[in-house]
Amino acid sequence: MPVCSFRNIIDQYKKRRFVISCLASAQNHGFSHFTMSLTNTVFTTFTAGLLLAIAFDTPDMPFQKLFRSLLLIPYAIPAFISVPVWVGLMNPEFGVITEFFEGIFGVTIPWFGHPMWAKAGIVLVNLWLGFPYMFLICTGALQALPT
């Protein structure tokens, strides 16, 4: 089965089978898991952004501009700075999030040692990085509606 690589792109494009071969290759290499993960992260990011946009759409809410500005902080911090901070927060020995779960529930979460918890950690970090964008989009859409 051909693999989607740069060298294969030219050959497959000439044969006009590029898309079909790439999809077949992706299907054999866990494409369904990829689409499920992508759907989960996009759905959670959009849902969080939409719910926050609806919550902050009240015009007479006190400190509305301040709260909206604070919600945009994750969007202003680059991902190459945020991701190592999150790795430190989820550190199995010294992480704040791990210590929180250990103190409240008495369990240590293996964020990097178990596939399910690794996926949950990735969704959590992606939610942190992506919800401000969806918040902006949904806020703009809600403000564009006629009153």
Side-chain angles (χ1 to χ4, degrees), residues 77-95:
I77 299 172
F80 70 89
I81 293 173
S82 296
V83 171
V85 169
W86 274 97
V87 169
L89 290 172
M90 289 191 262
N91 187 328
E93 294 179 27
F94 309 110

Side-chain angles (χ1 to χ4, degrees), residues 37 41 90 109-126:
S37 297
T41 55
M90 289 191 262
I109 297 176
W111 293 107
F112 309 116
H114 191 273
M116 182 191 73
W117 288 110
K119 182 178 177 180
I122 290 171
V123 169
L124 183 67
V125 172
N126 194 28

Side-chain angles (χ1 to χ4, degrees), residues 7 11-12 18 40-41 48 55 63 72 84-86 111 114 116 129 131 141-142:
R7 191 174 281 172
D11 296 335
Q12 296 299 327
F18 172 70
N40 287 340
T41 55
F63 304 111
L72 294 177
V85 169
W86 274 97
W111 293 107
H114 191 273
M116 182 191 73
L129 293 172
F131 88 86
L142 287 173

Side-chain angles (χ1 to χ4, degrees), residues 25-106:
S25 173
Q27 185 69 30
N28 291 335
H29 291 98
F31 186 69
S32 61
H33 294 294
F34 172 74
T35 54
M36 264 181 82
S37 297
L38 183 70
T39 304
N40 287 340
T41 55
V42 169
F43 178 74
T44 55
T45 303
F46 177 74
T47 303
L50 180 63
L51 291 176
L52 286 170
I54 291 171
F56 288 105
D57 193 39
T58 308
D60 55 342
M61 180 180 182
F63 304 111
Q64 178 187 28
K65 292 181 182 181
L66 175 70
F67 289 138
R68 281 185 178 172
S69 300
L70 290 176
L71 284 174
L72 294 177
I73 288 175
Y75 194 57
I77 299 172
F80 70 89
I81 293 173
S82 296
V83 171
V85 169
W86 274 97
V87 169
L89 290 172
M90 289 191 262
N91 187 328
E93 294 179 27
F94 309 110
V96 174
I97 297 174
T98 305
E99 292 289 329
F100 172 77
F101 279 111
E102 191 174 328
I104 299 293
F105 301 111

